Amino acid sequence: MASIPDFEIAEAGISKDNSAEAEQFKFRVDEIFQKVDELEQKVNEVEQFYLSSSKKQQSSSKGSSMGKERDKERQVPSIKKQQQDASRREAAAAKRMQELMRQFGTIVRQITQHKWAWPFMQPVDVKGLGLHDYYEIIEKPMDFSTIKNQMEAKDGTGYKNVRDICADVRLVFNNAMKYNDEGSDVHLMAKTLLEKFEEKWQLLLPKVTEEEKRRDEEEAEAQLDMQLVREAAHAKVVRDLCNELYEVDTHLEHLRETVVQKCRKMSTEEKRNLGTAIARLSMEDLNKALEIIAQSNPAFQAMAEEVEIDIDAQSESTLWRLKFFVKDALELQSKSAMSTGGNNNNNYNNKRKKEICDAIAKTAKKKSKRTSS
């Protein structure tokens, strides 16, 4: 499909002598588009952050209203303060856990000093005792000398939690009961010592549970602090975005006013060509053209059942905006028609399009009659 004639830059409201100025306008517009793309990316990042934050808040909507009010009153901590607080919490938690492990060590010593503890003090001598099926039955061998070494390790490879030691102590006795038949001496010794261990463990368990609860609360508090820091950072991004968007709007308005001032008045022939070209738009582009008219004419209802478009009544800026838009739209239609072999399906909403085109023609005819009379 051919494009509208006389839509070159030299004819688009700026004379050929001012083509350099037109190129400067184009360069400024390209800069604004680039800025808008950057802002759009920032907006998407902020949107994704708040969407994920909303989902997290919905999934963790537990706690009393008093707790929620307290969260609202929390001051936003700095990153440096967060790091300092985290270091202090970790150091304090490690110290408390060391104390619990020391108390657990007392339980281990009491168990290992029992007269029946000797079979469990060293690793099972599988080869010496000829226990050929031991590793087929026991997946993870364990003994108290291995536990002791892990508890005393200074290279960072030792136990970090009391429950890990507890699990290995149980494993020592469960392995013995699993491999040795019920009723055998070793099975009976292991069962008896396990029961004694569980009794002593129950005395320490409340302290362990309390420590775990405290750690969970501190972790939740740390996560809340981090969330507040992120929200504060994104709030700043939002403020900056608002300022940048305002700046872009100002540049666009200034550019628009400059272009309008530079534009010459559109001739009668050009207006007639514009009306004809509008009638060749697709339904979607036609609606966009009506929106352009509505932007400078608040009383104009682009989506009304009946519209009356008076080309001559439009402002110069609206006419040139329409001309630029129609030129680009028809060029795209032409390319689309060529890529699809010219088989465009224009049946959709043709009735609506015909009504609008008839309105343009009808208004133009009225103007013509008035002029002739």
Side-chain angles (χ1 to χ4, degrees):
M1 186 178 291
S3 61
I4 306 173
D6 300 330
F7 266 53
E8 304 296 333
I9 290 179
E11 300 296 328
I14 301 175
S15 65
K16 291 180 180 178
D17 295 337
N18 293 330
S19 59
E21 191 174 10
E23 285 298 319
Q24 185 179 7
F25 285 144
K26 183 177 182 299
F27 176 74
R28 288 174 64 188
V29 170
D30 289 342
E31 280 187 325
I32 290 175
F33 273 125
Q34 184 177 356
K35 183 68 175 177
V36 169
D37 288 341
E38 293 173 0
L39 291 175
E40 185 178 10
Q41 185 176 353
K42 290 180 181 179
V43 168
N44 288 336
E45 290 173 358
V46 172
E47 184 181 36
Q48 288 302 316
F49 170 78
Y50 282 109
L51 282 173
S52 61
S53 297
S54 177
K55 289 178 181 177
K56 287 179 181 177
Q57 288 174 2
Q58 289 175 4
S59 62
S60 59
S61 57
K62 298 178 181 179
S64 64
S65 57
M66 184 181 297
K68 292 179 181 178
E69 289 300 322
R70 187 168 60 248
D71 291 344
K72 289 180 182 178
E73 295 171 1
R74 291 171 62 86
Q75 293 183 346
V76 179
S78 65
I79 294 293
K80 184 177 181 181
K81 185 176 185 304
Q82 270 200 320
Q83 292 172 341
Q84 292 173 345
D85 290 346
S87 297
R88 283 195 291 267
R89 280 197 303 268
E90 289 173 6
K95 188 175 181 180
R96 294 194 304 269
M97 183 56 67
Q98 285 295 326
E99 173 58 23
L100 288 174
M101 291 173 70
R102 186 192 66 78
Q103 294 179 38
F104 190 88
T106 301
I107 296 175
V108 171
R109 281 194 298 275
Q110 291 173 350
I111 295 298
T112 55
Q113 288 172 0
H114 194 277
K115 61 180 181 180
W116 285 354
W118 62 267
F120 316 110
M121 297 305 298
Q122 299 295 329
V124 175
D125 184 6
V126 176
K127 188 175 180 180
L129 296 174
L131 309 177
H132 306 298
D133 60 348
Y134 188 80
Y135 294 116
E136 295 177 7
I137 299 173
I138 303 303
E139 296 179 4
K140 182 184 177 183
M142 185 55 60
D143 63 278
F144 280 105
S145 65
T146 300
I147 292 174
K148 184 173 181 293
N149 291 335
Q150 282 281 88
M151 291 180 68
E152 296 174 354
K154 303 295 184 182
D155 58 357
T157 60
Y159 294 111
K160 302 294 189 301
N161 191 292
V162 174
R163 286 189 182 272
D164 294 337
I165 317 175
C166 179
D168 279 352
V169 171
R170 286 171 175 157
L171 185 61
V172 172
F173 299 129
N174 286 327
N175 282 349
M177 289 188 291
K178 183 177 182 180
Y179 187 77
N180 295 276
D181 294 334
E182 189 173 359
S184 65
D185 291 342
V186 174
H187 186 103
L188 179 60
M189 294 162 75
K191 184 177 180 180
T192 302
L193 291 179
L194 179 59
E195 289 173 354
K196 290 184 177 295
F197 167 74
E198 293 293 354
E199 289 176 3
K200 296 179 182 298
W201 166 247
Q202 289 302 316
L203 298 176
L204 183 62
L205 184 58
K207 293 183 180 180
V208 175
T209 303
E210 182 182 353
E211 173 60 23
E212 290 171 340
K213 182 181 178 182
R214 182 173 179 177
R215 283 202 170 196
D216 289 342
E217 290 174 350
E218 289 179 349
E219 180 63 26
E221 184 179 353
Q223 289 180 359
L224 177 60
D225 286 344
M226 180 59 70
Q227 179 69 12
L228 290 173
V229 168
R230 289 171 180 163
E231 287 181 1
H234 280 82
K236 183 180 183 302
V237 171
V238 171
R239 289 195 298 271
D240 293 342
L241 278 173
C242 291
N243 293 333
E244 291 181 80
L245 285 170
Y246 176 77
E247 185 180 344
V248 169
D249 282 342
T250 304
H251 285 313
L252 282 173
E253 185 61 27
H254 177 71
L255 189 61
R256 179 174 175 270
E257 292 301 322
T258 303
V259 170
V260 170
Q261 291 172 8
K262 296 289 182 180
C263 284
R264 59 173 171 77
K265 287 191 175 183
M266 192 176 287
S267 66
T268 303
E269 179 69 18
E270 286 177 312
K271 291 179 183 178
R272 185 168 61 250
N273 288 340
L274 178 58
T276 303
I278 290 175
R280 292 157 56 192
L281 292 173
S282 67
M283 188 62 208
E284 181 180 357
D285 288 333
L286 191 56
N287 285 330
K288 291 179 181 178
L290 295 179
E291 289 174 6
I292 291 174
I293 296 173
Q295 287 173 8
S296 56
N297 296 274
F300 180 79
Q301 296 182 350
M303 301 307 294
E305 291 185 6
E306 294 185 7
V307 293
E308 185 170 332
I309 303 174
D310 186 352
I311 293 293
D312 294 327
Q314 306 306 316
S315 65
E316 291 299 322
S317 62
T318 300
L319 290 173
W320 285 111
R321 287 181 66 197
L322 280 171
K323 194 170 185 179
F324 295 143
F325 170 74
V326 172
K327 171 183 177 291
D328 292 340
L330 289 180
E331 284 180 352
L332 286 174
Q333 283 183 204
S334 179
K335 291 178 182 177
S336 177
M338 287 187 292
S339 65
T340 57
N343 296 324
N344 286 336
N345 182 11
N346 293 323
N347 293 327
Y348 179 70
N349 271 339
N350 272 354
K351 182 180 178 183
R352 169 68 173 166
K353 179 179 175 181
K354 185 176 184 302
E355 289 173 353
I356 296 173
C357 296
D358 288 346
I360 298 173
K362 184 179 179 182
T363 307
K365 191 178 291 185
K366 286 180 182 178
K367 286 279 183 182
S368 178
K369 284 182 179 179
R370 279 198 221 107
T371 304
S372 61
S373 61

